[in-house]
Amino acid sequence: MAAASMIRSVFKKELFSGKVAIVTGGATGLGRAITEELSSLGCKVVIASRRLENLEKAAQEINEAIPISLRPRVFPYQCNIRNEEQVKSLMKYTIDTHGALDYLVNNGGGQFASPAISAKGWLAVVETNLTGTFYCCKHAYNEWMAGHGGAIVNIIADMYKGFPNMAHTGAARAGVQNLMMSLALEWADCGIRINCVSPGIIYSETAAKNYGGRHVFDEGLHIIPAKRLGIPEEVSGAVCFLLSPAASYITGTTIKVDGGQSFYRSPFTIPEHNSFPPPLEDPELNSKL
Ligand SMILES: CCCCCCCCCCC/C=C/C(=O)SCCNC(=O)CCNC(=O)[C@H](O)C(C)(C)COP(=O)(O)OP(=O)(O)OC[C@H]1O[C@@H](n2cnc3c(N)ncnc32)[C@H](O)[C@@H]1OP(=O)(O)O
Ligand SMILES: NC(=O)C1=CN([C@@H]2O[C@H](COP(=O)(O)OP(=O)(O)OC[C@H]3O[C@@H](n4cnc5c(N)ncnc54)[C@H](OP(=O)(O)O)[C@@H]3O)[C@@H](O)[C@H]2O)C=CC1
């Protein structure tokens, strides 16, 4: 990861000066890049996830790269987004300590690859990605945004052609996208904008480790029109845009940051088979096809 002083952002230096954000999963991968860019643009960022040690280390590293007079800008807070009480405490801490909650980035989450998953695995993934996002939106709204407005960005995934081998996360992310559209309408009268960013295959050490190494990500290259993997900073730019005044008329939408992957080929191959039922009108048709 780049030091904050080296962060290359297309946005003006003090774009988010005086603003306060929460980024879940902000210590690693995409969340870290988002935290680095937001903080480099003047935002105070509370980073929240389960592993406090990771959070503290990331906050220290990012803060060290910020001029001393402007430190600290990044604050660690331990929170499992599957636990509603912990999410409520995260919102209260942020508002009590920093006086506002302008932005929420629901980035924390993940899944594992598995064709036939256990009910426990299904629940773990749905609770993390869908219910966790719901808790964060709900308590950001209740504790601050209902009365002051704000902007929310949810990180989802490329599930537009289904998500075979990761059906749990496909269902959860589609749920987040639909939740986002409902909330965009329900909360418009409070001045809250809510959108999604949908990454394709984005390489980071932590993400790749979760799947057994970089080679697993590289196996996806043939389904990406851009013919390369994405990097976390390419997702961060889209998030910063959606949070910024440049997106003041944008709500209820999804920006895909995927090199064209979502409307190209599926990575999933259907085995050769003859198992489909014949057409109703002509039971003989299958043999003619
Ligand atoms: C041919 C082309 C191929 C291209 C392929 C490209 C591949 C790239 C894919 C790109 C798209 C998406 C990328 C990303 O999202 S990268 C982000 C990766 N980071 C993470 O996922 C981190 C967060 N993940 C987690 O924390 C976990 O996965 C989880 C969400 C499940 C939460 O885990 P938690 O610790 O809370 O849960 P438990 O350990 O208690 O597990 C509960 C049950 O879940 C089942 N489980 C969990 N892990 C696995 C696994 N690795 N394999 C199978 N089953 C799993 C299991 O039932 C657990 O219960 P038990 O432990 O009792 O069995
Ligand atoms: N990289 C990619 O190609 C893609 C990533 N995504 C999504 O983007 C997001 C970031 O992923 P990425 O940066 O790549 O991978 P990482 O594994 O680096 O990030 C996942 C982050 O989520 C946090 N997290 C996981 N579960 C919880 C929880 N229950 N409560 C709070 N925080 C949690 C983790 O922290 P901790 O373990 O400390 O809790 C970690 O910081 C995820 O939602 C991921 O699924 C979507 C599409 C593609």
Side-chain angles (χ1 to χ4, degrees):
M1 265 317 145
S5 58
M6 292 161 57
I7 294 194
R8 280 175 297 170
S9 176
V10 298
F11 299 104
K12 66 177 180 188
K13 269 279 159 250
E14 296 306 319
L15 180 62
F16 296 119
S17 195
K19 301 292 186 186
V20 179
I22 291 174
V23 178
T24 63
T28 65
L30 309 188
R32 175 149 179 170
I34 295 164
T35 301
E36 287 180 341
E37 188 161 6
L38 283 174
S39 62
S40 80
L41 299 171
C43 198
K44 285 186 178 168
V45 186
V46 175
I47 53 175
S49 71
R50 297 166 298 180
R51 288 173 292 170
L52 185 59
E53 211 180 294
N54 262 10
L55 293 166
E56 287 175 340
K57 186 167 175 283
Q60 187 183 339
E61 286 169 3
I62 301 169
N63 282 326
E64 274 171 4
I66 289 170
I68 290 176
S69 61
L70 302 173
R71 290 184 206 167
R73 275 203 189 141
V74 179
F75 305 85
Y77 192 89
Q78 188 170 34
C79 174
N80 182 344
I81 56 170
R82 280 154 72 176
N83 182 314
E84 187 167 10
E85 279 312 305
Q86 289 183 25
V87 169
K88 200 170 170 182
S89 301
L90 165 66
M91 304 302 160
K92 280 184 178 298
Y93 155 80
T94 303
I95 293 153
D96 291 349
T97 313
H98 302 294
L101 174 53
D102 302 291
Y103 310 130
L104 168 65
V105 182
N106 289 309
N107 159 81
Q111 62 285 306
F112 49 87
S114 166
I117 61 166
S118 65
K120 192 175 172 193
W122 171 272
L123 285 176
V125 173
V126 172
E127 276 176 8
T128 303
N129 296 290
L130 177 56
T131 311
T133 298
F134 165 71
Y135 288 155
C136 289
C137 290
K138 171 184 166 184
H139 291 289
Y141 175 85
N142 284 348
E143 300 299 328
W144 185 262
M145 289 189 182
H148 303 83
I152 300 174
V153 174
N154 304 317
I155 304 297
I156 55 170
D158 174 13
M159 45 59 197
Y160 308 97
K161 296 188 284 284
F163 213 150
N165 283 335
M166 291 203 207
H168 45 4
T169 215
R173 308 303 180 134
V176 171
Q177 195 188 38
N178 200 268
L179 172 69
M180 175 273 292
M181 294 191 296
S182 301
L183 297 183
L185 301 184
E186 285 187 23
W187 295 351
D189 65 341
C190 300
I192 299 171
R193 295 186 301 103
I194 175 166
N195 294 288
C196 290
V197 168
S198 177
I201 303 181
I202 311 294
Y203 176 76
S204 74
E205 264 178 41
T206 46
K209 197 171 153 203
N210 209 52
Y211 290 95
R214 169 152 190 157
H215 66 280
V216 180
F217 277 45
D218 285 339
E219 279 168 29
L221 281 170
H222 70 287
I223 60 160
I224 308 174
K227 292 292 174 197
R228 66 165 173 85
L229 303 179
I231 63 167
E233 288 73 10
E234 291 177 305
V235 176
S236 170
V239 172
C240 288
F241 164 69
L242 284 172
L243 295 178
S244 80
S248 53
Y249 203 53
I250 300 179
T251 194
T253 197
T254 299
I255 294 184
K256 296 174 179 176
V257 182
D258 64 4
Q261 176 191 320
S262 52
F263 61 94
Y264 189 47
R265 299 164 57 185
S266 169
F268 188 74
T269 307
I270 316 263
E272 286 308 317
H273 69 87
N274 191 21
S275 309
F276 248 52
L280 192 60
E281 292 78 10
D282 183 358
E284 302 293 308
L285 186 62
N286 257 6
S287 59
K288 296 179 203 155
L289 291 174

